[in-house]
Amino acid sequence: MVGTVHPVGKTYEGGAPLAEVVRSGFVEGVHRGSVVVLDATGATVAGAGDVTSPVFPRSANKPMQAVGMLRAGLPVTDPADLALVSASHAGEEFHLARVGALLARAGLAESALHCPPDLPVGEAARAAVLRAGGGPSRIQMNCSGKHSGMLLTCGAAGWARDGYWRPEHPLQQRLRDAIEEFTGERAAAVGVDGCGAPVLAVSLTGLAGAYLRLVSAEPGSVPRTVADAMRAHPELVGGTEADDTRLMRGIPGLLAKVGAEGVIAAALPGVGAVAVKIDDGAGRARMPVLVSALRRLGVAAPVLTEYAELPLFGGGVPVGAVRPVW
């Protein structure tokens, strides 16, 4: 299923027009980007922009990182915990409680997390913290589940927890191996993600292929265990109103994960996979483009209609939309 690892191009060339911003019937802006659509065999059936050169998928790499952690001994048996390790959570109370429990299981304090203090990314959760007079904390940072999983993996594998986020650490080497295996590509670059952990650059074609391999893996295998956990607990992967959470709730069997800077990847077993990158990083454009891509695979669901166009408002009433042009 997972073939030879290949190098990818060195420079992302930029994308094509994928979505337009229409206000009062006037096109006031265009979002450019790249998108690739794979069928159930992994063959490319549609695309636009540059889908073979590397981009940073950001948090869309997390499912493969979770595979690497499990293979290295991550001691979690509850699928909900595994979903949280793969998450960019909204910082809701149920997220924070589960992260706290993971740390407590390892006998670690919140200070052991390398991710920076932050407010929740979820609007409602952030507002609740501020109303209560609270402020940023490491556990509220949306990658705290992943970092907790990294710490638990180091403990189980006998690796030093100090510097667990550094690219040369044995943990990060294992996670790199998993990303390269499932994308079928050698990482073209290693950067520092917003949470302080490494982020690896791969192509959108490699990213979509990785998601297809995750959902198509044998039941009970490590990659399928990660995919099944995320799909069984979508509210832990994102949050009550998160885009990837709502997609997985609305389309049975779909695996989806957003990444910063306008990235999203999704796959449906027996159907195919999609990966999107919006060049200017605008999150508002990625969902309409994703809907257009999924519809090319014949996917139909009410949740796609909800995301097909993003409304724009003027004076508190809808006056236009962000809509796909690809």
Side-chain angles (χ1 to χ4, degrees), residues 29-205:
V30 174
H31 292 289
R32 301 177 67 90
S34 299
V35 53
V36 65
V37 183
L38 308 182
D39 67 14
T41 71
T44 300
V45 294
D50 182 0
V51 302
T52 59
S53 296
V55 298
F56 281 138
R58 305 293 295 274
S59 287
N61 277 342
K62 284 179 177 174
M64 290 86 79
Q65 291 175 312
V67 168
M69 287 186 236
L70 272 183
R71 287 176 170 173
L74 173 65
V76 297
T77 56
D78 187 340
D81 288 334
L82 186 56
L84 189 66
V85 168
S86 310
S88 299
H89 66 72
E92 296 172 80
E93 288 187 8
F94 61 91
H95 295 124
L96 305 186
R98 191 167 285 275
V99 174
L102 285 174
L103 291 172
R105 184 183 309 168
L108 298 171
E110 181 180 335
S111 58
L113 297 170
H114 180 66
C115 54
D118 203 354
L119 289 168
V121 296
E123 292 183 9
R126 183 189 307 118
V129 170
L130 294 175
R131 279 197 306 270
S137 68
R138 294 183 188 277
I139 201 170
Q140 291 174 157
M141 201 273 169
N142 69 324
C143 296
S144 64
K146 178 182 76 173
H147 279 256
S148 296
M150 289 178 176
L151 287 166
L152 265 69
T153 302
C154 287
W159 296 326
R161 292 190 174 105
D162 184 45
Y164 72 88
W165 60 89
R166 301 189 187 282
E168 64 272 16
H169 192 282
L171 169 70
Q172 299 302 333
Q173 291 295 310
R174 294 291 187 92
L175 305 195
R176 176 172 182 153
D177 289 345
I179 290 171
E180 292 187 334
E181 176 187 345
F182 279 84
T183 61
E185 297 176 356
R186 299 191 190 284
V190 181
V192 180
D193 213 334
C195 66
V199 59
L200 306 184
V202 295
S203 75
L204 290 176
T205 299

Side-chain angles (χ1 to χ4, degrees), residues 184-263:
E185 297 176 356
R186 299 191 190 284
V190 181
V192 180
D193 213 334
C195 66
V199 59
L200 306 184
V202 295
S203 75
L204 290 176
T205 299
L207 181 64
Y211 275 61
L212 188 59
R213 291 172 179 123
L214 288 169
V215 299
S216 303
E218 288 295 320
S221 65
V222 169
R224 181 64 175 271
T225 297
V226 172
D228 287 349
M230 294 175 67
R231 292 180 291 184
H233 300 279
E235 72 285 350
L236 289 170
V237 174
T240 304
E241 296 300 324
D243 292 339
D244 42 16
T245 294
R246 294 186 63 205
L247 280 172
M248 287 189 282
R249 282 178 182 159
I251 305 174
L254 185 78
L255 175 68
K257 182 72 188 70
V258 301
E261 297 299 320
V263 174

